[in-house]
Short mmCIF file of all heavy atoms in Angstrom, two decimals:
data_model
loop_
_atom_site.label_atom_id
_atom_site.label_comp_id
_atom_site.label_asym_id
_atom_site.label_seq_id
_atom_site.Cartn_x
_atom_site.Cartn_y
_atom_site.Cartn_z
N MET A 1 36.19 61.11 164.29
CA MET A 1 34.88 61.62 164.42
C MET A 1 34.20 60.89 165.69
O MET A 1 33.69 61.43 166.58
CB MET A 1 34.03 61.43 163.20
CG MET A 1 32.51 61.44 163.33
SD MET A 1 31.83 63.08 163.61
CE MET A 1 30.12 62.74 163.75
N GLY A 2 34.38 59.54 165.63
CA GLY A 2 33.72 58.74 166.67
C GLY A 2 34.26 59.19 168.11
O GLY A 2 33.44 59.33 168.99
N ILE A 3 35.58 59.22 168.20
CA ILE A 3 36.12 59.50 169.61
C ILE A 3 35.72 60.95 169.99
O ILE A 3 35.37 61.24 171.09
CB ILE A 3 37.63 59.33 169.54
CG1 ILE A 3 37.90 57.80 169.47
CG2 ILE A 3 38.26 59.90 170.82
CD1 ILE A 3 39.38 57.50 169.41
N VAL A 4 35.92 61.91 169.11
CA VAL A 4 35.58 63.27 169.43
C VAL A 4 34.14 63.46 169.78
O VAL A 4 33.75 64.07 170.77
CB VAL A 4 35.84 64.16 168.20
CG1 VAL A 4 35.42 65.66 168.44
CG2 VAL A 4 37.38 64.20 167.96
N GLY A 5 33.21 62.74 169.12
CA GLY A 5 31.81 62.79 169.42
C GLY A 5 31.61 62.29 170.77
O GLY A 5 30.71 62.80 171.54
N THR A 6 32.29 61.15 171.19
CA THR A 6 32.07 60.56 172.50
C THR A 6 32.46 61.56 173.60
O THR A 6 31.78 61.69 174.58
CB THR A 6 32.85 59.24 172.62
OG1 THR A 6 32.48 58.40 171.57
CG2 THR A 6 32.57 58.58 173.95
N ILE A 7 33.68 62.15 173.37
CA ILE A 7 34.13 63.14 174.43
C ILE A 7 33.12 64.35 174.52
O ILE A 7 32.80 64.67 175.64
CB ILE A 7 35.53 63.55 174.04
CG1 ILE A 7 36.54 62.54 174.14
CG2 ILE A 7 35.98 64.80 174.93
CD1 ILE A 7 37.94 62.76 173.66
N HIS A 8 32.65 64.76 173.43
CA HIS A 8 31.75 65.93 173.44
C HIS A 8 30.48 65.50 174.23
O HIS A 8 30.07 66.30 175.07
CB HIS A 8 31.45 66.41 172.01
CG HIS A 8 30.48 67.46 172.02
ND1 HIS A 8 30.84 68.81 172.28
CD2 HIS A 8 29.14 67.53 171.75
CE1 HIS A 8 29.78 69.55 172.15
NE2 HIS A 8 28.72 68.78 171.86
N ASP A 9 29.97 64.33 173.95
CA ASP A 9 28.84 63.89 174.67
C ASP A 9 29.04 63.80 176.18
O ASP A 9 28.20 64.21 176.94
CB ASP A 9 28.31 62.53 174.12
CG ASP A 9 27.73 62.58 172.74
OD1 ASP A 9 27.46 63.74 172.37
OD2 ASP A 9 27.51 61.63 172.08
N ALA A 10 30.24 63.26 176.54
CA ALA A 10 30.55 63.16 177.93
C ALA A 10 30.55 64.55 178.67
O ALA A 10 30.06 64.68 179.71
CB ALA A 10 31.92 62.38 178.13
N LEU A 11 31.20 65.47 178.00
CA LEU A 11 31.32 66.79 178.56
C LEU A 11 29.97 67.48 178.62
O LEU A 11 29.60 68.10 179.60
CB LEU A 11 32.26 67.67 177.72
CG LEU A 11 33.75 67.31 177.72
CD1 LEU A 11 34.51 68.14 176.72
CD2 LEU A 11 34.28 67.48 179.14
N THR A 12 29.17 67.31 177.67
CA THR A 12 27.84 67.87 177.67
C THR A 12 26.97 67.26 178.84
O THR A 12 26.35 68.02 179.63
CB THR A 12 27.12 67.65 176.39
OG1 THR A 12 27.86 68.14 175.32
CG2 THR A 12 25.76 68.29 176.34
N ARG A 13 27.12 65.97 178.92
CA ARG A 13 26.40 65.33 180.00
C ARG A 13 26.85 65.72 181.37
O ARG A 13 26.10 65.89 182.36
CB ARG A 13 26.54 63.71 179.92
CG ARG A 13 25.32 63.02 180.34
CD ARG A 13 25.43 61.55 179.99
NE ARG A 13 25.61 61.27 178.57
CZ ARG A 13 26.68 60.52 178.05
NH1 ARG A 13 27.55 60.02 178.87
NH2 ARG A 13 26.71 60.30 176.78
N GLU A 14 28.17 65.94 181.52
CA GLU A 14 28.70 66.39 182.82
C GLU A 14 28.13 67.76 183.24
O GLU A 14 27.65 67.92 184.34
CB GLU A 14 30.26 66.54 182.64
CG GLU A 14 31.00 66.82 183.97
CD GLU A 14 31.19 65.64 184.75
OE1 GLU A 14 31.06 64.47 184.31
OE2 GLU A 14 31.32 65.86 185.98
N SER A 15 28.09 68.71 182.37
CA SER A 15 27.69 70.03 182.75
C SER A 15 26.13 69.99 183.05
O SER A 15 25.66 70.67 183.87
CB SER A 15 28.02 71.04 181.67
OG SER A 15 27.47 70.67 180.46
N ALA A 16 25.41 69.19 182.28
CA ALA A 16 23.94 69.10 182.44
C ALA A 16 23.72 68.44 183.85
O ALA A 16 22.78 68.97 184.52
CB ALA A 16 23.32 68.17 181.37
N SER A 17 24.41 67.44 184.23
CA SER A 17 24.11 66.84 185.57
C SER A 17 24.52 67.83 186.70
O SER A 17 23.89 67.85 187.70
CB SER A 17 24.94 65.54 185.68
OG SER A 17 26.27 65.84 185.75
N THR A 18 25.49 68.73 186.42
CA THR A 18 25.88 69.72 187.50
C THR A 18 24.72 70.70 187.63
O THR A 18 24.36 71.07 188.73
CB THR A 18 27.16 70.45 187.05
OG1 THR A 18 28.19 69.57 186.82
CG2 THR A 18 27.50 71.53 188.11
N GLU A 19 24.11 71.14 186.53
CA GLU A 19 22.92 72.04 186.64
C GLU A 19 21.84 71.32 187.50
O GLU A 19 21.18 72.01 188.19
CB GLU A 19 22.41 72.24 185.23
CG GLU A 19 23.24 73.37 184.51
CD GLU A 19 23.00 74.74 185.17
OE1 GLU A 19 21.88 75.08 185.55
OE2 GLU A 19 24.04 75.32 185.48
N ALA A 20 21.60 70.01 187.30
CA ALA A 20 20.40 69.37 187.91
C ALA A 20 20.56 69.17 189.30
O ALA A 20 19.65 68.77 190.02
CB ALA A 20 20.25 67.92 187.19
N THR A 21 21.74 69.50 189.92
CA THR A 21 21.82 69.19 191.44
C THR A 21 21.18 70.28 192.17
O THR A 21 21.12 70.18 193.47
CB THR A 21 23.39 69.20 191.83
OG1 THR A 21 24.03 70.39 191.36
CG2 THR A 21 24.06 68.02 191.17
N SER A 22 20.75 71.37 191.61
CA SER A 22 19.96 72.38 192.30
C SER A 22 18.60 71.87 192.62
O SER A 22 17.82 71.66 191.70
CB SER A 22 19.95 73.71 191.56
OG SER A 22 19.09 74.61 192.20
N ASN A 23 18.18 71.80 193.83
CA ASN A 23 16.85 71.33 194.22
C ASN A 23 15.87 72.47 194.57
O ASN A 23 14.71 72.29 194.73
CB ASN A 23 16.92 70.39 195.45
CG ASN A 23 17.68 69.12 195.14
OD1 ASN A 23 17.41 68.53 194.05
ND2 ASN A 23 18.57 68.68 196.01
N GLY A 24 16.41 73.72 194.61
CA GLY A 24 15.59 74.89 194.93
C GLY A 24 16.39 76.04 195.44
O GLY A 24 17.55 76.15 195.05
N ALA A 25 15.79 76.82 196.23
CA ALA A 25 16.47 78.10 196.66
C ALA A 25 16.06 78.45 198.13
O ALA A 25 15.04 78.07 198.59
CB ALA A 25 16.12 79.23 195.75
N TYR A 26 16.94 79.15 198.77
CA TYR A 26 16.70 79.59 200.13
C TYR A 26 16.22 81.05 200.12
O TYR A 26 16.77 81.88 199.33
CB TYR A 26 17.88 79.44 201.00
CG TYR A 26 18.28 78.03 201.37
CD1 TYR A 26 19.18 77.35 200.56
CD2 TYR A 26 17.60 77.45 202.36
CE1 TYR A 26 19.42 76.06 200.92
CE2 TYR A 26 17.88 76.19 202.81
CZ TYR A 26 18.84 75.48 202.00
OH TYR A 26 19.16 74.19 202.34
N TRP A 27 15.20 81.39 200.87
CA TRP A 27 14.58 82.67 200.83
C TRP A 27 14.69 83.29 202.28
O TRP A 27 14.55 82.60 203.27
CB TRP A 27 13.09 82.61 200.50
CG TRP A 27 12.82 82.50 199.02
CD1 TRP A 27 12.66 81.27 198.41
CD2 TRP A 27 12.68 83.47 198.04
NE1 TRP A 27 12.47 81.47 197.08
CE2 TRP A 27 12.34 82.81 196.84
CE3 TRP A 27 12.68 84.84 198.09
CZ2 TRP A 27 12.18 83.51 195.67
CZ3 TRP A 27 12.42 85.48 196.93
CH2 TRP A 27 12.20 84.84 195.75
N CYS A 28 14.87 84.65 202.29
CA CYS A 28 14.52 85.38 203.48
C CYS A 28 13.45 86.33 203.19
O CYS A 28 13.53 87.13 202.31
CB CYS A 28 15.77 86.25 204.02
SG CYS A 28 15.43 87.26 205.47
N ASP A 29 12.27 86.01 203.76
CA ASP A 29 11.07 86.79 203.45
C ASP A 29 11.16 88.16 203.84
O ASP A 29 10.60 89.11 203.20
CB ASP A 29 9.88 86.04 204.09
CG ASP A 29 9.58 84.69 203.56
OD1 ASP A 29 9.67 84.63 202.30
OD2 ASP A 29 9.30 83.79 204.31
N ASP A 30 11.86 88.50 205.07
CA ASP A 30 11.98 89.87 205.49
C ASP A 30 12.72 90.70 204.48
O ASP A 30 12.40 91.91 204.30
CB ASP A 30 12.62 89.91 206.84
CG ASP A 30 11.66 89.30 207.98
OD1 ASP A 30 10.40 89.18 207.67
OD2 ASP A 30 12.16 88.92 209.02
N CYS A 31 13.88 90.16 204.13
CA CYS A 31 14.81 90.98 203.24
C CYS A 31 14.57 90.70 201.76
O CYS A 31 15.23 91.44 200.93
CB CYS A 31 16.26 90.66 203.61
SG CYS A 31 16.63 90.80 205.39
N ASP A 32 13.72 89.72 201.45
CA ASP A 32 13.48 89.51 199.96
C ASP A 32 14.78 89.01 199.34
O ASP A 32 15.09 89.37 198.18
CB ASP A 32 12.85 90.61 199.25
CG ASP A 32 11.95 90.18 198.11
OD1 ASP A 32 11.50 89.04 198.18
OD2 ASP A 32 11.68 90.98 197.22
N VAL A 33 15.58 88.26 200.11
CA VAL A 33 16.85 87.65 199.56
C VAL A 33 16.68 86.28 199.09
O VAL A 33 15.96 85.48 199.76
CB VAL A 33 17.99 87.81 200.66
CG1 VAL A 33 19.23 87.02 200.11
CG2 VAL A 33 18.27 89.18 200.97
N ARG A 34 17.17 85.91 197.90
CA ARG A 34 17.00 84.58 197.41
C ARG A 34 18.45 84.07 197.02
O ARG A 34 19.13 84.80 196.26
CB ARG A 34 16.07 84.55 196.14
CG ARG A 34 16.02 83.15 195.45
CD ARG A 34 15.10 83.32 194.23
NE ARG A 34 15.06 82.13 193.48
CZ ARG A 34 15.93 81.73 192.56
NH1 ARG A 34 16.96 82.50 192.27
NH2 ARG A 34 15.80 80.55 191.94
N VAL A 35 18.79 82.89 197.49
CA VAL A 35 20.01 82.27 197.15
C VAL A 35 19.82 80.79 196.76
O VAL A 35 19.16 80.00 197.58
CB VAL A 35 21.06 82.18 198.32
CG1 VAL A 35 22.31 81.58 197.97
CG2 VAL A 35 21.23 83.63 198.79
N ARG A 36 20.20 80.35 195.57
CA ARG A 36 19.98 78.95 195.17
C ARG A 36 20.79 78.07 196.04
O ARG A 36 21.90 78.45 196.54
CB ARG A 36 20.44 78.80 193.71
CG ARG A 36 19.60 79.43 192.71
CD ARG A 36 20.19 79.33 191.35
NE ARG A 36 20.24 77.97 190.88
CZ ARG A 36 21.07 77.59 189.91
NH1 ARG A 36 21.94 78.36 189.43
NH2 ARG A 36 21.05 76.34 189.49
N ASP A 37 20.28 76.85 196.32
CA ASP A 37 21.00 75.94 197.31
C ASP A 37 22.45 75.59 196.79
O ASP A 37 23.29 75.51 197.68
CB ASP A 37 20.15 74.66 197.43
CG ASP A 37 19.94 73.93 196.11
OD1 ASP A 37 20.19 74.51 195.02
OD2 ASP A 37 19.45 72.81 196.19
N VAL A 38 22.64 75.61 195.53
CA VAL A 38 23.96 75.30 194.98
C VAL A 38 24.89 76.53 195.11
O VAL A 38 26.07 76.36 194.89
CB VAL A 38 23.95 74.80 193.52
CG1 VAL A 38 23.26 73.44 193.41
CG2 VAL A 38 23.23 75.84 192.63
N ALA A 39 24.35 77.70 195.40
CA ALA A 39 25.09 78.91 195.44
C ALA A 39 25.40 79.27 196.91
O ALA A 39 26.18 80.25 197.11
CB ALA A 39 24.46 80.06 194.70
N VAL A 40 24.97 78.53 197.85
CA VAL A 40 25.13 78.93 199.26
C VAL A 40 26.68 79.05 199.63
O VAL A 40 27.03 79.95 200.22
CB VAL A 40 24.46 77.86 200.15
CG1 VAL A 40 24.83 78.13 201.65
CG2 VAL A 40 22.96 78.09 200.10
N GLU A 41 27.40 78.00 199.18
CA GLU A 41 28.82 78.03 199.53
C GLU A 41 29.52 79.14 198.85
O GLU A 41 30.33 79.86 199.55
CB GLU A 41 29.42 76.71 199.04
CG GLU A 41 28.74 75.47 199.64
CD GLU A 41 28.87 75.45 201.18
OE1 GLU A 41 29.81 76.05 201.67
OE2 GLU A 41 28.06 74.89 201.84
N SER A 42 29.23 79.37 197.53
CA SER A 42 30.01 80.41 196.84
C SER A 42 29.56 81.87 197.27
O SER A 42 30.35 82.81 197.26
CB SER A 42 29.76 80.33 195.36
OG SER A 42 28.41 80.36 194.99
N GLU A 43 28.37 81.94 197.82
CA GLU A 43 27.90 83.21 198.39
C GLU A 43 28.51 83.48 199.73
O GLU A 43 28.44 84.66 200.20
CB GLU A 43 26.40 83.28 198.50
CG GLU A 43 25.68 83.24 197.16
CD GLU A 43 25.67 84.53 196.50
OE1 GLU A 43 25.83 85.63 197.15
OE2 GLU A 43 25.45 84.64 195.16
N GLY A 44 29.14 82.34 200.42
CA GLY A 44 29.72 82.57 201.70
C GLY A 44 28.76 82.73 202.79
O GLY A 44 29.09 83.29 203.84
N LEU A 45 27.53 82.10 202.67
CA LEU A 45 26.53 82.27 203.71
C LEU A 45 26.96 81.35 204.94
O LEU A 45 27.40 80.25 204.76
CB LEU A 45 25.18 81.85 203.24
CG LEU A 45 24.59 82.61 202.10
CD1 LEU A 45 23.12 82.21 201.87
CD2 LEU A 45 24.66 84.10 202.34
N ASP A 46 26.63 81.84 206.17
CA ASP A 46 26.87 81.02 207.32
C ASP A 46 25.66 80.08 207.46
O ASP A 46 24.56 80.27 207.00
CB ASP A 46 26.90 81.94 208.66
CG ASP A 46 28.16 82.82 208.69
OD1 ASP A 46 29.17 82.36 208.10
OD2 ASP A 46 28.17 83.87 209.17
N ARG A 47 25.95 79.01 208.20
CA ARG A 47 24.84 77.99 208.42
C ARG A 47 24.69 77.86 209.91
O ARG A 47 25.70 77.95 210.69
CB ARG A 47 25.17 76.64 207.91
CG ARG A 47 25.24 76.60 206.33
CD ARG A 47 25.62 75.19 205.85
NE ARG A 47 25.83 75.13 204.38
CZ ARG A 47 24.84 74.67 203.58
NH1 ARG A 47 23.66 74.40 204.02
NH2 ARG A 47 25.01 74.69 202.32
N ASP A 48 23.41 77.57 210.41
CA ASP A 48 23.16 77.37 211.78
C ASP A 48 23.44 75.88 212.06
O ASP A 48 23.95 75.13 211.29
CB ASP A 48 21.71 77.80 212.24
CG ASP A 48 20.70 76.94 211.49
OD1 ASP A 48 20.95 75.88 210.95
OD2 ASP A 48 19.54 77.34 211.58
N ASP A 49 23.09 75.42 213.32
CA ASP A 49 23.53 74.07 213.72
C ASP A 49 22.83 73.01 212.94
O ASP A 49 23.32 71.96 212.83
CB ASP A 49 23.18 73.98 215.21
CG ASP A 49 24.00 74.82 216.16
OD1 ASP A 49 25.08 75.21 215.71
OD2 ASP A 49 23.57 75.10 217.33
N ASP A 50 21.68 73.32 212.37
CA ASP A 50 20.93 72.43 211.52
C ASP A 50 21.40 72.40 210.06
O ASP A 50 20.92 71.61 209.24
CB ASP A 50 19.36 72.70 211.54
CG ASP A 50 18.88 72.53 212.97
OD1 ASP A 50 19.33 71.69 213.75
OD2 ASP A 50 17.84 73.23 213.24
N GLY A 51 22.34 73.22 209.80
CA GLY A 51 22.81 73.33 208.36
C GLY A 51 22.05 74.30 207.55
O GLY A 51 22.23 74.32 206.29
N THR A 52 21.08 75.04 208.10
CA THR A 52 20.27 75.93 207.37
C THR A 52 20.99 77.23 207.18
O THR A 52 21.56 77.80 208.09
CB THR A 52 18.91 76.24 208.17
OG1 THR A 52 18.27 75.07 208.48
CG2 THR A 52 18.05 77.12 207.31
N PRO A 53 21.13 77.67 205.92
CA PRO A 53 21.80 78.95 205.62
C PRO A 53 21.07 80.08 206.33
O PRO A 53 19.91 80.19 206.53
CB PRO A 53 21.74 79.11 204.05
CG PRO A 53 21.47 77.71 203.56
CD PRO A 53 20.68 77.04 204.67
N GLN A 54 21.99 81.06 206.73
CA GLN A 54 21.47 82.27 207.36
C GLN A 54 21.52 83.49 206.37
O GLN A 54 22.46 83.70 205.67
CB GLN A 54 22.24 82.52 208.65
CG GLN A 54 22.10 81.41 209.65
CD GLN A 54 23.01 81.58 210.84
OE1 GLN A 54 24.23 81.81 210.70
NE2 GLN A 54 22.49 81.39 212.02
N CYS A 55 20.48 84.28 206.62
CA CYS A 55 20.34 85.49 205.66
C CYS A 55 21.59 86.35 205.81
O CYS A 55 22.04 86.70 206.97
CB CYS A 55 19.17 86.29 206.03
SG CYS A 55 19.06 87.85 205.15
N PRO A 56 22.28 86.80 204.79
CA PRO A 56 23.48 87.67 204.87
C PRO A 56 23.13 89.00 205.35
O PRO A 56 24.08 89.74 205.80
CB PRO A 56 23.98 87.70 203.42
CG PRO A 56 22.81 87.42 202.62
CD PRO A 56 21.95 86.43 203.40
N ASP A 57 21.91 89.36 205.34
CA ASP A 57 21.49 90.82 205.73
C ASP A 57 21.00 90.86 207.24
O ASP A 57 21.53 91.68 207.94
CB ASP A 57 20.36 91.32 204.83
CG ASP A 57 20.82 91.63 203.48
OD1 ASP A 57 22.04 91.63 203.24
OD2 ASP A 57 20.01 91.90 202.58
N CYS A 58 20.17 89.96 207.61
CA CYS A 58 19.62 89.96 208.96
C CYS A 58 20.05 88.86 209.81
O CYS A 58 19.91 88.85 211.07
CB CYS A 58 18.11 90.13 208.93
SG CYS A 58 17.31 88.56 208.37
N GLY A 59 20.57 87.78 209.25
CA GLY A 59 21.20 86.68 210.05
C GLY A 59 20.23 85.64 210.56
O GLY A 59 20.60 84.76 211.33
N SER A 60 18.95 85.72 210.11
CA SER A 60 18.05 84.73 210.54
C SER A 60 17.97 83.53 209.49
O SER A 60 18.42 83.63 208.43
CB SER A 60 16.52 85.32 210.67
OG SER A 60 16.22 85.98 209.49
N ALA A 61 17.49 82.42 210.05
CA ALA A 61 17.53 81.23 209.24
C ALA A 61 16.58 81.46 207.94
O ALA A 61 15.57 82.02 208.07
CB ALA A 61 17.01 80.05 210.02
N MET A 62 17.11 80.91 206.89
CA MET A 62 16.34 81.09 205.59
C MET A 62 15.40 80.01 205.34
O MET A 62 15.57 78.85 205.79
CB MET A 62 17.34 81.28 204.46
CG MET A 62 18.23 82.47 204.76
SD MET A 62 19.45 82.78 203.40
CE MET A 62 18.46 83.60 202.14
N ARG A 63 14.37 80.28 204.54
CA ARG A 63 13.24 79.20 204.30
C ARG A 63 13.66 78.59 202.88
O ARG A 63 13.92 79.23 201.90
CB ARG A 63 11.95 79.92 204.16
CG ARG A 63 10.83 79.03 203.73
CD ARG A 63 9.46 79.80 203.86
NE ARG A 63 9.54 80.98 202.93
CZ ARG A 63 9.19 80.85 201.67
NH1 ARG A 63 8.90 79.76 201.06
NH2 ARG A 63 9.20 82.02 200.92
N PHE A 64 13.62 77.22 202.87
CA PHE A 64 13.93 76.47 201.67
C PHE A 64 12.61 76.30 200.79
O PHE A 64 11.67 75.92 201.32
CB PHE A 64 14.49 75.18 201.92
CG PHE A 64 14.93 74.36 200.78
CD1 PHE A 64 16.04 74.82 199.95
CD2 PHE A 64 14.21 73.25 200.39
CE1 PHE A 64 16.34 74.17 198.86
CE2 PHE A 64 14.64 72.54 199.24
CZ PHE A 64 15.74 72.96 198.48
N GLU A 65 12.79 76.67 199.53
CA GLU A 65 11.62 76.41 198.61
C GLU A 65 12.07 75.52 197.50
O GLU A 65 13.05 75.96 196.76
CB GLU A 65 11.23 77.82 198.09
CG GLU A 65 9.98 77.69 197.12
CD GLU A 65 9.52 79.02 196.75
OE1 GLU A 65 9.99 79.58 195.73
OE2 GLU A 65 8.61 79.56 197.40
N ARG A 66 11.50 74.39 197.33
CA ARG A 66 11.80 73.47 196.29
C ARG A 66 11.50 74.06 194.87
O ARG A 66 10.46 74.69 194.68
CB ARG A 66 11.19 72.18 196.39
CG ARG A 66 11.58 71.38 197.65
CD ARG A 66 11.05 69.94 197.65
NE ARG A 66 11.66 69.21 196.59
CZ ARG A 66 12.82 68.64 196.72
NH1 ARG A 66 13.46 68.62 197.86
NH2 ARG A 66 13.31 67.91 195.73
N ALA A 67 12.36 73.76 193.95
CA ALA A 67 12.13 74.15 192.53
C ALA A 67 11.00 73.20 191.92
O ALA A 67 11.11 71.98 192.22
CB ALA A 67 13.37 74.16 191.67
N HIS A 68 10.17 73.74 191.17
CA HIS A 68 9.15 72.91 190.48
C HIS A 68 9.73 72.36 189.21
O HIS A 68 9.41 72.86 188.08
CB HIS A 68 7.93 73.68 190.21
CG HIS A 68 7.28 74.24 191.49
ND1 HIS A 68 6.85 73.43 192.51
CD2 HIS A 68 7.10 75.50 191.89
CE1 HIS A 68 6.37 74.24 193.52
NE2 HIS A 68 6.63 75.49 193.15
N ALA A 69 10.69 71.44 189.32
CA ALA A 69 11.50 71.02 188.11
C ALA A 69 10.64 70.30 187.15
O ALA A 69 10.86 70.41 185.87
CB ALA A 69 12.57 70.10 188.53
N ASP A 70 9.57 69.62 187.53
CA ASP A 70 8.76 68.87 186.59
C ASP A 70 7.53 69.64 186.10
O ASP A 70 6.69 69.14 185.40
CB ASP A 70 8.24 67.51 187.30
CG ASP A 70 7.47 67.79 188.56
OD1 ASP A 70 7.30 68.97 188.93
OD2 ASP A 70 7.14 66.78 189.20
N GLY A 71 7.38 70.85 186.54
CA GLY A 71 6.34 71.67 186.10
C GLY A 71 5.04 71.36 186.74
O GLY A 71 3.98 71.98 186.32
N CYS A 72 4.97 70.47 187.71
CA CYS A 72 3.68 70.24 188.39
C CYS A 72 3.56 71.12 189.62
O CYS A 72 4.42 71.19 190.49
CB CYS A 72 3.73 68.74 188.84
SG CYS A 72 2.23 68.26 189.78
N ALA A 73 2.43 71.77 189.68
CA ALA A 73 2.15 72.72 190.86
C ALA A 73 1.50 72.07 192.01
O ALA A 73 1.28 72.76 192.94
CB ALA A 73 1.38 73.95 190.26
N CYS A 74 1.22 70.79 191.95
CA CYS A 74 0.47 70.22 193.10
C CYS A 74 1.45 69.79 194.26
O CYS A 74 2.61 69.82 194.09
CB CYS A 74 -0.23 69.00 192.61
SG CYS A 74 0.86 67.76 191.83
ZN1 LIG B 1 17.09 88.62 206.11
#
């Protein structure tokens, strides 16, 4: 029980920390396209010289918007 519980805790903590690596999302205001920062690679988006993802529809640089993880709007 003790060992199994420890492994379960470790696995749970692992997946939770993976979720927390998302700091926000990239937007294209013209196309209304939204891609989470952690999904840029899996979506196959190109990046410009500054590393900013480019909109898959129109090809312009996307705007980064931070997630309000702590619920504070200020
Ligand atoms: Zn666009």
Side-chain angles (χ1 to χ4, degrees):
M1 159 73 180
I3 290 177
V4 172
T6 303
I7 292 173
H8 179 75
D9 286 350
L11 289 175
T12 305
R13 210 173 302 128
E14 185 78 21
S15 59
S17 65
T18 302
E19 279 294 313
T21 56
S22 175
N23 295 316
Y26 289 95
W27 284 90
C28 178
D29 294 318
D30 290 343
C31 306
D32 212 20
V33 172
R34 174 182 178 274
V35 180
R36 290 173 68 204
D37 58 348
V38 293
V40 167
E41 302 300 333
S42 59
E43 293 283 341
L45 298 189
D46 291 329
R47 292 177 184 266
D48 66 13
D49 293 340
D50 295 328
T52 305
Q54 296 173 314
C55 174
D57 289 350
C58 69
S60 56
M62 301 178 80
R63 178 175 58 84
F64 184 69
E65 181 176 89
R66 294 190 67 85
H68 303 295
D70 58 3
C72 176
C74 57

